[in-house]
Amino acid sequence: MKISLRSGRRPVVGLPGKMKVVGVVSGGLTEAGQELDQAYSGILSKALKLGKFRGDFGSELTLVADGVFLMLLGLGQKRGVTADRVREAGVAVARKALELGAREVAVENFFADRLGKEAASYALAEGLYLGSYRFERYKSEAKPVRIRYWIAKGRGRAVEEAERMAAATAYARDLANEPPNVLTPEALAEAARALAEERGLEARVLGPEEIEALGMGAFLAVARGSDNPPRLIHLTYRPEEKPRRRVALVGKGLCFDTGGYSLKPTESMRHMKADMAGAAAVLGTFQALAEFRPPVEVHGVIAAAENKISGRAYVVDEVVRTMSGKTVEVVNTDAEGRLTLADALYYAGREAPDAIVSIATLTGSSVVALGRKIAALFATEERLAEALRAGGEAEGETLWPMPLEPRYQKLLKSEVADLKNVGTREGGAIQAALFLKQFVRDPFAHLDIAGPAFQREAWELGPAGASGFGVRTLTRWLRSL
Ligand code: BES
Ligand code: ZN
Ligand code: ZN
């Protein structure tokens, strides 16, 4: 899918395209809708009178007149409008355009009067792009399609920024949607290298011997069962000017998670190709950094591996030595993410950054707590938590704060080692975050995206599959520093 977004000077009625979209707000046509109505001899207002369509948010009525699709999009009430609603409206428009096969679409700049032209164009453009996203590489019949959207009376700059942000999200979606036979740790490292080459970033990739030389015993234990060797990926973005801050992002990069000898049941193993969605979010963020070039230095660290079974695979009861020197008793091989992250976080800490943020599909427990639309947010500092949360909110990504409860730390005490990798079932996401905290210095934040990283059904911001969750949150946050 080749998606292009343009802002048009004219109102919807005057823009090109065989599909024209206007909103229905508080049950009536908007000004753009009235103009379109007049141009098509009152067909829209007649349609509104005809039946029960009242323009509830999420509803839609599409007519055909003079060989043009006219879409009435329900936007709900005028009160309480948010950018989220506009972004989701954009997704709904894209979905309809793809369904109908429209290739050029003119869209009203919904709620520009309420949100301001900038913010409205930004959210709409983002929605149109994210809603047009499809993963079709492996569909033999799929033809490459181009779709162009015109945002009526839009702001060019805002549209361009939204396009770059959405493209970075789409890149992360692509990576996490790739099947595990294609996207091995080696292939993920290759993708990181290619990104760095194309966008002028630094990339350093380490293989098993070098990882061993660093003493990353926890990471290596997880990777040991697979024939596909691990890779440690270290990306660096340096701004032209002296950096205002130095930050490290650490993404969980399990290209597949079978659970290992603590094997996952069939249904739970499904979609574990996306257990590298944290890594994908980091790579997507680096694509966005290369575009927006904010004055911060950013390190991206990914411990890429597969959690599989073989004669060499790690088993429970093993004690592994992390790069930090701390030893860990493995009590469940399915809690592998925290083992790989322990070493990746410690490695990232050697850069002595001003803040470290990990992003990971870490626990089923976070999915139970918050569902598939919300990520769990842990932070050692309130300010850091709030800055990340605000970045997410502006971009339609919800992060909800969870406690790093110190009283739970003792649940991770081991009889034989410094720590064990799993405590009790209750409060599992918290214990996982507390485990990670043992390997970093403050300030530290951790996003558990196990819920929102992968959608089993089409959802508010796109089709079923990887969501790219985290790219826009992290990018917004980094741009705000
Ligand atoms: N990758 C999973 C977590 C996960 C679950 C991601 C559902 C996406 C959707 C992780 O490695 C895992 O298996 N965690 C275990 C930890 C447990 C053994 C303490 C879990 O959550 O069940
Ligand atoms: Zn696991
Ligand atoms: Zn996992």
Side-chain angles (χ1 to χ4, degrees), residues 162-204:
E163 182 164 6
R164 289 189 241 158
M165 195 70 114
T169 308
Y171 168 59
R173 286 180 179 182
D174 276 345
L175 287 170
N177 279 326
E178 279 290 345
N181 53 330
V182 175
L183 199 86
T184 57
E186 219 178 328
L188 185 62
E190 228 15 83
R193 246 199 211 118
L195 177 75
E197 196 131 310
E198 276 162 34
R199 311 264 173 171
L201 306 160
E202 291 165 34
R204 196 172 163 223

Side-chain angles (χ1 to χ4, degrees), residues 202-217:
E202 291 165 34
R204 196 172 163 223
V205 175
L206 308 185
E209 289 82 27
E210 294 150 296
I211 296 168
E212 170 125 48
L214 284 173
M216 296 185 159

Side-chain angles (χ1 to χ4, degrees), residues 8-22:
R9 290 237 184 89
R10 284 170 284 172
V12 173
V13 64
L15 288 171
K18 292 271 186 230
M19 177 166 172
K20 301 190 196 298
V21 188
V22 292

Side-chain angles (χ1 to χ4, degrees), residues 24 27 29 37 40-55 61-64 70-72:
V24 175
L29 290 171
D37 189 46
Y40 289 88
S41 49
I43 181 175
L44 299 179
S45 46
K46 277 180 220 153
L48 271 179
K49 283 190 199 115
L50 191 61
K52 283 211 267 185
F53 181 74
R54 290 287 169 273
L61 182 64
T62 302
L63 319 169
V64 182
L70 302 173
M71 180 181 190
L72 287 170

Side-chain angles (χ1 to χ4, degrees), residues 252 254 257 264 272 275 307 334-337 361-362:
K252 174 172 171 180
L254 265 291
D257 180 11
K264 287 182 184 295
M272 279 302 142
D275 209 20
N307 187 17
D334 198 10
E336 84 298 336
T361 48
L362 203 60

